[in-house]
Amino acid sequence: MFKFHQVKHIFDTLDKMRCLRKRSTVSFLGVLVIFLLFMNLYIEDSYVMEGDKQLVRETSTHQLNPERYVHTFKDLSNFSGAINVTYRFLAVMPLQRKRFLTIGLSSVRRKKGNYLLETIKSIFEQTSYEELKEISVVVHLADFNSSWREVMLQDITQKFAHHIIAGRLMVIHAPEEYYPILSGLKRNYNDPEDRVRFRSKQNVDYAFLLNFCANISDYYVMLEDDVRCSKNFFTAIKKVITSLVGTYWVTLEFSKLGYIGKLYHSHDLPRLAHFLLMFYQEMPCDWLLTHFRGLLAQKNVIRFKPSLFQHMGYYSSYKGTENKLKDDDFEEEPFDIPDNPPASLYTNMSVFENYDASKAYSSVDEYFWGKSPSTGDVFVIIFENPIVIKRIKVNTGTEDRQNDILHHGALDVGGDIRYFKQNRQCVTYIRLGEFKNGNFEVSDVNQKIPFDIHCMRIYVTKTQKEWLIIRSISIWTS
């Protein structure tokens, strides 16, 4: 049986959603699922495992265990429907078609400084005409002060009218009446009351933004409202996504700071929005996002370097305090990002732990690590489709393991592919050159090789006692 205070806690929690009932109520299903979640947390041991009761308690102490609760979260919080909010469309033109990427920003009034217009300007200036056809930018003016919103809307529509007319820029607002209680919240981590209110509202701001953006594009990237973008960041993101085809991921990170440059599949946005609403008062959004990623079984951070977005604000949106954080991995004009077309990878070298072959081919900060290779060992890349290659670059070793390079090796390409049972293999190869000091680079491959390339392999020409790190394999296609 429930204890009285447990029943009271459940209904107190549901009561905190009462602001959602004024003009449009939360769907009955949403309330029911939240109620069932708390039922699962508080019911007697004879009905559920004691460990499941720790979910909210561990969340509030930043100790959520993703492996233990992944099934609970998927079963009880697999929200696929939209949150019931009636948005105010401040500047919105109907989209003619679904885009590839939505860029979302939430902005509130600052006591010092205002960087929103510069952020929007940077997004469009660093995007080519062809790239603009594939993006949508959604700005959530989330402050409750209507005068500030009117001023900001006027500035945005004056400076970016052509982008609004083209459907590339949308400005929205979620009315205050749809927000949950923002006073008397739990003061986790000894945060002062106004700090708790600020970060809790921010979680809801983001939740409503995510909810709105769920069906606009295939992918979604979150920025803050004080960010500078690198040149052609869209193409860089698209190349990374392409290189990870067939790989499971929940979040890709293109900046190491806060809630900047975090990329999601759009089909995950409704669940992420509900997740932020469910735990809005527990902790800051970037901590919640870490738990969200883990609960959906992505154990490790997948972060791209160089960073594509830089924090440029000097004053924080919270109380106008100084915030000088910078991402030292950011590059204004990043290096020529490789294409790395979809491929399967294979090696007969002994792999150390989980440093598998695919990590050398990824655009993110990972690498392959194998134990001492022997003469004749290979690292093979088999492309899904034959390709024309312009340039190849392979780097081995790392700064802290400079001896774990390929001391003696060569790089070959093959075009004659055969099927052996369920596997594809190239039966003949042409040598492009030898590794020098652990590195290999060649240009104008398409002028040297008279056929489309199906396979590429790294071939060990002499046994070495040192282990081998293949830090990156970069391929540029014609």
Side-chain angles (χ1 to χ4, degrees):
M1 296 293 293
F2 284 103
K3 297 181 177 66
F4 172 77
H5 72 276
Q6 293 174 332
V7 175
K8 183 177 183 298
H9 180 82
I10 292 171
F11 284 98
D12 284 348
T13 303
L14 290 174
D15 186 57
K16 289 181 181 179
M17 303 299 292
R18 67 178 181 269
C19 65
L20 298 174
R21 73 189 177 195
K22 291 185 179 177
R23 289 173 55 184
S24 181
T25 59
V26 176
S27 66
F28 174 76
L29 179 60
V31 175
L32 178 61
V33 171
I34 294 172
F35 179 77
L36 289 175
L37 175 66
F38 284 95
M39 287 276 288
N40 184 67
L41 296 173
Y42 286 101
I43 203 165
E44 289 295 327
D45 294 3
S46 58
Y47 293 94
V48 294
M49 295 176 62
E50 177 66 27
D52 287 343
K53 297 181 184 179
Q54 301 297 322
L55 180 56
V56 168
R57 290 200 293 272
E58 292 191 3
T59 303
S60 65
T61 56
H62 201 205
Q63 298 295 320
L64 192 64
N65 186 330
E67 291 185 1
R68 291 178 63 189
Y69 298 112
V70 63
H71 297 298
T72 300
F73 179 64
K74 284 183 176 179
D75 291 343
L76 291 179
S77 304
N78 189 19
F79 299 111
S80 57
I83 298 167
N84 194 2
V85 178
T86 301
Y87 295 89
R88 292 178 185 166
F89 298 150
L90 306 183
V92 175
M93 292 291 288
L95 284 177
Q96 300 301 314
R97 60 180 178 82
K98 198 171 187 178
R99 306 295 173 92
F100 183 83
L101 179 69
T102 297
I103 301 159
L105 304 91
S106 181
S107 186
V108 296
R109 180 179 47 169
R110 294 170 181 259
K111 291 190 175 181
K112 293 182 180 179
N114 189 326
Y115 312 98
L116 176 59
L117 298 177
E118 284 300 311
T119 300
I120 299 172
K121 179 182 177 182
S122 179
I123 291 171
F124 290 128
E125 282 190 346
Q126 300 291 48
T127 309
S128 70
Y129 177 74
E130 288 301 316
E131 292 172 330
L132 284 174
K133 297 177 183 178
E134 298 297 327
I135 70 169
S136 290
V137 179
V138 178
V139 177
H140 179 201
L141 297 181
D143 202 277
F144 296 152
N145 184 290
S146 60
S147 299
W148 176 85
R149 293 198 307 271
E150 289 171 5
V151 170
M152 290 307 305
L153 179 63
Q154 184 175 4
D155 288 343
I156 292 170
T157 53
Q158 287 178 350
K159 294 179 182 295
F160 306 105
H162 59 298
H163 291 298
I164 294 172
I165 293 170
R168 288 189 290 266
L169 175 61
M170 292 175 272
V171 185
I172 64 169
H173 171 67
E176 183 177 2
E177 62 204 64
Y178 292 99
Y179 279 70
I181 288 175
L182 295 173
S183 60
L185 303 176
K186 289 190 291 185
R187 292 180 57 184
N188 296 336
Y189 320 111
N190 251 354
D191 282 348
E193 187 174 345
D194 58 345
R195 173 67 181 173
V196 173
R197 184 186 190 279
F198 171 82
R199 61 171 170 79
S200 298
K201 180 184 178 295
Q202 187 177 57
N203 284 333
V204 184
D205 295 342
Y206 284 137
F208 289 157
L209 173 60
L210 293 163
N211 181 64
F212 179 85
C213 295
N215 296 308
I216 296 175
S217 61
D218 298 321
Y219 300 94
Y220 172 92
V221 65
M222 180 69 82
L223 297 186
E224 294 180 3
D225 64 350
D226 54 355
V227 167
R228 189 168 80 251
C229 307
S230 67
K231 188 173 180 60
N232 299 121
F233 67 89
F234 170 83
T235 295
I237 289 174
K238 195 169 185 178
K239 285 185 175 183
V240 171
I241 292 171
T242 301
S243 74
L244 293 174
V245 168
T247 302
Y248 177 77
W249 59 269
V250 177
T251 310
L252 301 182
E253 302 189 7
F254 294 89
S255 170
K256 64 182 180 182
L257 299 180
Y259 203 176
I260 298 174
K262 305 304 185 281
L263 182 83
Y264 303 92
H265 297 276
S266 290
H267 61 69
D268 281 335
L269 296 186
R271 181 154 50 181
L272 177 54
H274 280 284
F275 183 76
L276 290 176
L277 272 183
M278 185 182 299
F279 299 109
Y280 77 101
Q281 65 173 309
E282 302 295 342
M283 61 183 69
C285 57
D286 46 344
W287 293 6
L288 284 174
L289 295 171
T290 300
H291 292 313
F292 179 79
R293 184 195 73 222
L295 286 164
L296 293 187
Q298 180 188 317
K299 295 182 180 179
N300 301 315
V301 173
I302 304 176
R303 190 165 76 83
F304 174 84
K305 287 185 180 180
S307 296
L308 301 179
F309 306 100
Q310 177 65 287
H311 178 258
M312 68 175 175
Y314 185 77
Y315 297 106
S316 168
S317 52
Y318 171 63
K319 281 191 170 182
T321 54
E322 289 188 6
N323 183 1
K324 299 179 181 180
L325 283 176
K326 296 295 179 184
D327 188 335
D328 51 13
D329 292 325
F330 173 77
E331 292 184 12
E332 190 83 43
E333 296 195 23
F335 60 87
D336 187 11
I337 297 169
D339 298 298
N340 283 19
S344 54
L345 291 88
Y346 161 79
T347 182
N348 61 350
M349 302 179 205
S350 178
V351 180
F352 176 62
E353 293 186 352
N354 63 337
Y355 294 88
D356 54 79
S358 63
K359 295 188 175 179
Y361 194 62
S362 169
S363 298
V364 295
D365 191 24
E366 301 175 313
Y367 54 81
F368 163 80
W369 200 0
K371 299 178 182 179
S372 306
S374 303
T375 302
D377 282 351
V378 293
F379 185 107
V380 180
I381 301 173
I382 302 174
F383 302 106
E384 284 189 7
N385 299 298
I387 60 173
V388 178
I389 296 178
K390 290 192 301 183
R391 179 180 164 211
I392 300 171
K393 184 178 181 181
V394 181
N395 297 112
T396 67
T398 60
E399 287 187 10
D400 56 340
R401 296 189 178 275
Q402 298 182 16
N403 245 4
D404 287 2
I405 63 173
L406 182 55
H407 294 273
H408 304 281
L411 191 136
D412 308 325
V413 293
D416 185 11
I417 197 164
R418 303 286 175 85
Y419 288 85
F420 297 89
K421 296 182 179 180
Q422 295 182 346
N423 297 321
R424 297 182 303 152
Q425 297 179 20
C426 284
V427 294
T428 58
Y429 283 91
I430 293 177
R431 182 145 296 176
L432 282 179
E434 306 283 334
F435 277 75
K436 294 181 180 179
N437 300 318
N439 299 314
F440 178 90
E441 185 168 8
V442 61
S443 299
D444 302 320
V445 177
N446 52 328
Q447 298 178 21
K448 300 170 184 176
I449 302 299
F451 52 81
D452 290 352
I453 294 171
H454 278 86
C455 310
M456 189 180 94
R457 76 176 180 188
I458 298 169
Y459 187 88
V460 179
T461 55
K462 185 177 179 180
T463 300
Q464 62 184 59
K465 64 180 181 179
E466 296 85 3
W467 288 16
L468 172 62
I469 290 176
I470 302 178
R471 188 171 76 251
S472 63
I473 298 172
S474 302
I475 297 172
W476 289 264
T477 57
S478 178

